[in-house]
Amino acid sequence: EIVLTQSPGTLSLSPGERATLSCRASQSVTGNYLAWYQQKPGQAPRLLIYDALSRATGIPDRFSGSGSETDFSLTISRLEPEDFAVYYCQQYGGSPYTFGQGTKLEIK
Amino acid sequence: QVHLLQSGIEVKTRGAAVKVSCKASGYTFTSYGISWVRQAPGQGLEWMGWISAYNGNTNYAQKFQGRVTMTTDTSTSTAYMELRSLRSDDTAMYYCARDGLWFGLDPWGQGTLVTVSS
């Protein structure tokens, strides 16, 4: 199974700053089928990015995904107060699907 | 508007079984699959398996093989996940999510809290 390792575990930034979250896979992700999700306390996860770089419907363009094979990133160009949450990457190119352990984005 | 509505809170004793439902609306149910994902308190996300709403084919995570059964009822656009022989560490929020196979999991249901007590 593909192990996804996210870094950093916690990222402390201020509104208006740029955030870059990393997701590294233990082996190449087939088809770059890599997604990013945002989860706020008490809520279900929400899809942000799929296929490594495609924004899901309704997601603001300050969110962008990049990367391929084993190294992927989620960038939030200018943080809004509502962006502080936990972010997970997930690969769905092979079975079983696997998730990273999450990055908590907190207000500095 | 695509929406997944899950059944309510469940409290079970160890060794029992739980069956969670997930009713879909706003799209053609049989054109997608449903994945089930769980999240233990304060922990990350864990994929349990997938079912095709088109033909009922399933793919379970090895960890749950033999203990989980996923089914669908196309007449009501509802997916079900049954987990048997419950243990304390099965206490978690259980989510269903629409799975287009190549587009990520979107959207997710609101979650069903399953508590396993002794």
Side-chain angles (χ1 to χ4, degrees):
Chain A
E1 100 177 28
I2 296 177
V3 176
L4 299 179
T5 302
Q6 293 186 238
S7 61
T10 302
L11 185 57
S12 300
L13 294 170
S14 301
E17 291 193 290
R18 179 186 185 90
T20 301
L21 287 64
S22 173
C23 177
R24 179 160 290 178
S26 61
Q27 56 189 278
S28 184
V29 175
T30 299
N32 293 326
Y33 291 125
L34 190 288
W36 290 93
Y37 301 88
Q38 176 193 68
Q39 187 177 34
K40 297 180 180 179
Q43 296 185 16
R46 176 175 72 144
L47 177 68
L48 301 175
I49 301 288
Y50 65 93
D51 294 354
L53 47 76
S54 299
R55 263 188 306 277
T57 303
I59 301 303
D61 60 8
R62 64 179 181 273
F63 291 91
S64 63
S66 63
S68 63
E69 297 189 354
T70 60
D71 286 288
F72 300 89
S73 294
L74 172 71
T75 299
I76 310 171
S77 60
R78 188 176 170 83
L79 285 166
E80 297 286 342
E82 63 267 27
D83 298 336
F84 292 91
V86 178
Y87 292 83
Y88 295 94
C89 59
Q90 178 227 357
Q91 69 79 25
Y92 50 99
S95 182
Y97 293 175
T98 49
F99 290 89
Q101 82 280 16
T103 289
K104 182 179 181 180
L105 179 55
E106 64 177 25
I107 299 177
K108 187 173 181 179
Chain B
Q1 178 191 3
V2 178
H3 189 62
L4 299 177
L5 181 63
Q6 297 185 224
S7 48
I9 295 171
E10 299 271 7
V11 179
K12 297 292 183 180
T13 55
R14 274 190 289 181
V18 68
K19 191 170 186 177
V20 178
S21 68
C22 169
K23 183 172 176 58
S25 60
Y27 71 97
T28 302
F29 184 63
T30 52
S31 294
Y32 294 82
I34 295 286
S35 269
W36 290 88
V37 176
R38 75 177 188 180
Q39 185 171 38
Q43 302 302 307
L45 303 169
E46 179 177 33
W47 182 76
M48 300 179 68
W50 166 90
I51 182 167
S52 165
Y54 174 71
N55 58 15
N57 285 351
T58 55
N59 180 18
Y60 301 143
Q62 188 169 9
K63 175 177 180 177
F64 299 101
Q65 288 272 5
R67 212 161 61 94
V68 71
T69 301
M70 297 176 187
T71 57
T72 59
D73 181 345
T74 56
S75 68
T76 60
S77 298
T78 303
Y80 298 90
M81 186 283 298
E82 181 182 43
L83 187 62
R84 300 177 293 278
S85 302
L86 289 169
R87 309 186 286 250
S88 298
D89 62 359
D90 290 319
T91 293
M93 186 72 79
Y94 288 76
Y95 294 102
C96 62
R98 188 179 70 165
D99 187 346
L101 287 182
W102 313 124
F103 306 105
L105 305 181
D106 181 48
W108 294 54
Q110 84 277 19
T112 296
L113 180 62
V114 176
T115 300
V116 183
S117 64
S118 55

